[in-house]
Amino acid sequence: MGDTFVSADNKAIVIRALTGVFVDKDAGVVDEIFSPDYKQHNPAIPNGREAIKAVIGSLGPDFKYEIGMVAAEGEYVMVHGRYTGWAPNPMIAVDVFRVVDGKLAEHWDVMQEEVVAAATASGNAMFTNPQALS
């Protein structure tokens, strides 16, 4: 299987995981898609599947997640997304996942508070969804 197919498959796995966890709030997706020895680099979340299930359980009724750009190369997938209700103000994040044998094996993220387009020096929004523009 070529790298293009691996990247596309891994993108689909990550999108399914993020949708399951943050949109559907379905703890069943954790056992299905996350590796038993899932390694977490977010300093506030422990390693392992149970930690992700705990995150799902902590999401309030006003929580919302939106997927923006998705890029993949081999076993690494990066997702630019918006988290509303994670913190007092919406957060923009890049989540990076390593996918091994069809399972999420590792995760890193970088998050910052969203600044509205009118308050940026460029006037450009921090978050866009290119898939929605098609």
Side-chain angles (χ1 to χ4, degrees):
M1 187 180 326
D3 190 52
T4 301
F5 295 114
V6 170
S7 296
D9 290 347
N10 288 344
K11 279 174 68 171
I13 290 165
V14 168
I15 290 169
R16 166 92 174 90
L18 288 171
T19 301
V21 169
F22 293 121
V23 177
D24 301 333
K25 300 176 186 172
D26 175 12
V29 79
V30 177
D31 291 328
E32 175 189 340
I33 297 181
F34 289 72
S35 173
D37 59 349
Y38 179 71
K39 188 173 183 179
Q40 178 63 255
H41 295 277
N42 178 309
I45 303 172
N47 290 326
R49 290 175 171 171
E50 294 308 311
I52 301 305
K53 291 177 184 177
V55 166
I56 293 170
S58 73
L59 299 175
D62 294 332
F63 177 83
K64 181 180 176 185
Y65 175 72
E66 301 166 79
I67 292 176
M69 294 176 271
V70 182
E73 183 168 336
E75 65 183 12
Y76 293 96
V77 178
M78 294 177 285
V79 181
H80 189 243
R82 177 191 282 139
Y83 293 83
T84 304
W86 184 269
N89 293 311
M91 301 293 289
I92 303 300
V94 175
D95 289 282
V96 180
F97 294 91
R98 186 169 66 91
V99 181
V100 177
D101 297 327
K103 304 275 186 190
L104 299 187
E106 201 163 1
H107 169 260
W108 300 259
D109 61 18
V110 180
M111 298 181 93
Q112 75 177 83
E113 190 172 298
E114 182 173 19
V115 176
V116 297
T120 68
S122 65
N124 296 323
M126 291 179 66
F127 177 81
T128 57
N129 181 342
Q131 290 80 227
L133 301 176
S134 311

